[in-house]
Amino acid sequence: MVFSITRGNFVTHSTKKLEDKYLKQTKLGEGAVGTVFLSKHKETNDIRAIKYIPKSSIKHPERLKNEVSTLVSCDHPHIIKIFEIIEDRKNLYLIMEQCKGGELFDYILNNKTIQEAEAAMLFRQIMLAINYLHSKNIVHRDLKPENLMFSDGKTLKLIDFGIAKALKPNETMSTRAGTPFYMSPEILKGFYNISTDIWSAGVILYIMLCGYPPFYAESDAEVFKKVLIGNFSFRGHEWRQVSNRAKDLIRNMLIVNTDLRFTASQVLEHPWLQNLNPSVPFPLSAPDATTFTTSNLLRRVFLFCIASHTSEESFPQAKEAFLSLDQDMTGCLSIFSLQENLALQFSNENPDDLKKFVLAMDLNNNGKVEYTEFIAGALENTMFSKQEKVVQAFSVFDKQGKGKIVPEDLQRLFEKPNKKNLPFYQKIFKEANCINNAGISLEEFFAIVTANGVGS
Ligand code: PIT
């Protein structure tokens, strides 16, 4: 049986009372649909951003489903993380990671323009997020500086998947959607695909470097006229100090003909965006890697769950190491290249051990190490001093609060209810020496994740 595990498996959906779990703090902002509040998770003191979506405002339930399923399927350092979904009679609540640094929009406004070196660092992050989405055939459709948030002083996260859409191969769209300044000519004409995001990103880059949009007019209709023609200039005095490389990149993004417009990976290969990726070493010692490698599947699944529910400020180095290892910039590491890179970095270690370590990280055996798989592998010994994190992960498995985890809990998280593969999950328990039918208590769970006495 193929065991599919992604961080989406651990995004729980429940009908608990939001106030029992989260303490509402400040209002962050109001979007087209819903309001975002900063809240504190009572058990762990984690600060989260929670989007309140009134059910009464949901005219198109399938669109909301789109937003949620897109968010849940994403696992990338530059895309906002969703942790949990709660629903009550009035609202739907999306519990997401906190972005402390505010919108890119305000950052540009406060600084008027952004220096080229910094703009390149930030724009590369934006393009990494877009390249990841496009590699999954997801179009965001509302790229603009308001939808890019700083999670810290230098890291951007793409937010608002309200009109994002996962496309079938060769599918095109015809709904006019987005924000006028950033809308592509083809979206206005009503026949478009993922390349519309590249146009919007080109507009963002233009604005970052000069402080005003390339297609500007007093009314939306006038803006649309200019966009359709696609003429823009670098004549303002702001452009005098800007390099030809930066201008060349913009020229290759703001091309009306979508066949000639750069793709996300071409943008990332452009000379203006080279040599910006710091080389950060993998943050794990050899003994810790060995503990992970020799752990049974159950323990690795538990670690993955903890990684799924942890804010990345808890593992800044692991995040940077992931980005520096992502050499093809797809947001997903091939086990091959990861094995090679780790062998270079740990030249004193046995290459076979490193290979086994990477295979152990690839929980779902798909030949790739996704962001959260990587974090789980690098988690060793850093998280477990925080007992609340372990309790939080336990409750993801033990949804009804029965005080123990049984094979059926794994099945519920990994499969649609109609499938019957219980023996598979029982086997995972057995291999972890949990044959006791009473299930795994919190105490035992703690012992397993901290590797006290397991590792068979
Ligand atoms: C904030 C602060 C923060 C996160 C967000 C907003 C997230 C907003 C968001 C909205 C969406 C969506 C994903 C994320 O699909 O930390 O002001 O509609």
Side-chain angles (χ1 to χ4, degrees):
M1 171 189 164
V2 183
F3 181 55
S4 156
I5 170 169
T6 67
R7 79 173 295 283
N9 291 112
F10 299 105
V11 177
T12 54
H13 192 146
S14 69
T15 50
K16 292 201 181 82
K17 259 191 136 130
L18 185 78
E19 306 80 59
D20 288 348
K21 235 178 143 174
Y22 292 92
L23 191 65
K24 194 194 254 182
Q25 297 182 322
T26 48
K27 183 164 154 178
L28 284 175
E30 208 144 351
V33 204
T35 311
V36 179
F37 290 93
L38 210 58
S39 300
K40 188 161 89 175
H41 185 248
K42 290 181 180 173
E43 202 164 48
T44 57
N45 289 329
D46 285 341
I47 305 294
R48 302 268 132 113
I50 305 187
K51 181 172 170 178
Y52 288 53
I53 305 173
K55 285 184 172 172
S56 61
S57 75
I58 304 172
K59 289 189 206 78
H60 306 277
E62 70 287 354
R63 278 191 206 164
L64 187 65
K65 241 168 104 188
N66 234 342
E67 169 170 6
V68 172
S69 66
T70 310
L71 271 175
V72 166
S73 73
C74 287
D75 188 4
H76 190 275
H78 294 301
I79 294 178
I80 191 100
K81 263 199 210 5
I82 182 165
F83 294 106
E84 185 177 358
I85 299 155
I86 295 183
E87 188 176 350
D88 62 20
R89 236 167 6 96
K90 281 207 320 248
N91 297 303
L92 193 74
Y93 308 96
L94 309 185
I95 292 110
M96 296 178 287
E97 75 183 301
Q98 173 198 22
C99 294
K100 289 191 191 121
E103 294 172 8
L104 177 62
F105 181 86
D106 294 310
Y107 189 73
I108 299 172
L109 219 61
N110 295 337
N111 294 278
K112 298 210 173 62
T113 64
I114 303 179
Q115 287 306 308
E116 241 182 280
E118 189 188 3
M121 296 283 288
L122 296 175
F123 190 67
R124 185 168 180 280
Q125 299 175 22
I126 299 170
M127 289 311 306
L128 287 173
I130 298 173
N131 196 37
Y132 175 82
L133 291 177
H134 288 190
S135 72
K136 293 161 74 81
N137 235 359
I138 294 171
V139 58
H140 184 278
R141 292 201 284 185
D142 202 11
L143 295 174
K144 54 182 174 180
E146 294 90 318
N147 285 340
L148 289 152
M149 307 265 315
F150 283 97
S151 62
D152 58 42
K154 55 183 173 38
T155 309
L156 284 175
K157 304 268 172 170
L158 180 57
I159 66 162
D160 203 340
F161 288 72
I163 58 170
K165 195 168 191 285
L167 300 181
K168 297 179 191 76
N170 299 320
E171 183 183 348
T172 56
M173 296 163 286
S174 58
T175 319
R176 191 185 272 202
T179 307
F181 289 145
Y182 305 91
M183 282 162 81
S184 67
E186 67 274 15
I187 219 167
L188 295 170
K189 289 184 214 152
F191 198 67
Y192 61 98
N193 62 16
I194 53 174
S195 61
T196 190
D197 281 344
I198 303 298
W199 177 279
S200 308
V203 175
I204 295 174
L205 177 55
Y206 185 102
I207 295 176
M208 285 169 89
L209 293 173
C210 73
Y212 51 84
F215 308 102
Y216 181 80
E218 293 293 329
S219 73
D220 286 355
E222 296 288 318
V223 171
F224 294 154
K225 240 190 231 167
K226 291 189 170 168
V227 170
L228 284 166
I229 299 164
N231 278 336
F232 62 94
S233 86
F234 295 123
R235 280 195 290 270
H237 73 271
E238 298 83 0
W239 290 100
R240 261 184 255 150
Q241 307 93 293
V242 175
S243 69
N244 283 327
R245 272 187 178 169
K247 291 174 187 166
D248 180 76
L249 178 55
I250 293 172
R251 279 194 200 98
N252 280 297
M253 299 179 79
L254 297 181
I255 294 178
V256 175
N257 182 341
T258 54
D259 294 334
L260 302 177
R261 191 180 303 159
F262 267 13
T263 62
S265 62
Q266 281 177 306
V267 174
L268 286 163
E269 302 283 353
H270 188 274
W272 191 64
L273 291 173
Q274 299 318 300
N275 305 320
L276 299 170
N277 200 8
S279 170
V280 175
F282 187 77
L284 202 59
S285 70
D288 281 347
T290 305
T291 307
F292 185 84
T293 308
T294 54
S295 293
N296 53 58
L297 183 58
L298 190 63
R299 175 169 194 264
R300 286 179 283 129
V301 169
F302 288 168
L303 293 180
F304 187 95
C305 180
I306 294 175
S308 298
H309 281 270
T310 305
S311 313
E312 58 193 31
E313 61 205 35
S314 307
F315 35 74
Q317 204 193 339
K319 184 189 88 184
E320 296 302 331
F322 179 84
L323 288 164
S324 96
L325 287 161
D326 179 21
Q327 284 156 348
D328 64 3
M329 300 178 285
T330 55
C332 187
L333 313 177
S334 85
I335 55 171
F336 240 40
S337 78
L338 186 52
Q339 285 168 338
E340 248 171 38
N341 282 312
L342 289 185
L344 286 174
Q345 214 182 101
F346 297 97
S347 51
N348 295 332
E349 301 300 326
N350 179 347
D352 283 339
D353 290 345
L354 293 168
K355 277 187 183 165
K356 285 183 200 146
F357 173 57
V358 172
L359 290 175
M361 281 176 132
D362 180 16
L363 275 188
N364 60 357
N365 269 315
N366 69 348
K368 291 172 198 152
V369 173
E370 262 111 8
Y371 182 41
T372 301
E373 284 177 334
F374 183 88
I375 298 297
L379 210 56
E380 216 51 61
N381 279 342
T382 52
M383 278 320 299
F384 315 123
S385 50
K386 284 194 185 170
Q387 191 157 355
E388 326 76 79
K389 288 312 295 185
V390 180
V391 176
Q392 184 182 34
F394 184 83
S395 67
V396 171
F397 293 96
D398 179 20
K399 197 180 178 191
Q400 294 99 16
K402 53 194 181 312
K404 59 183 187 188
I405 304 173
V406 292
E408 285 83 348
D409 290 317
L410 285 199
Q411 188 179 29
R412 167 179 50 82
L413 288 166
F414 295 119
E415 284 182 56
K416 299 207 173 63
N418 58 346
K419 294 198 187 156
K420 283 276 165 277
N421 283 310
L422 191 56
F424 173 77
Y425 300 96
Q426 289 165 332
K427 191 166 143 248
I428 295 177
F429 269 58
K430 214 170 191 164
E431 283 166 0
N433 293 325
C434 302
I435 32 176
N436 179 351
N437 285 335
I440 297 172
S441 67
L442 177 59
E443 227 175 4
E444 289 163 325
F445 184 77
F446 201 82
I448 291 173
V449 296
T450 52
N452 282 333
V454 283
S456 51

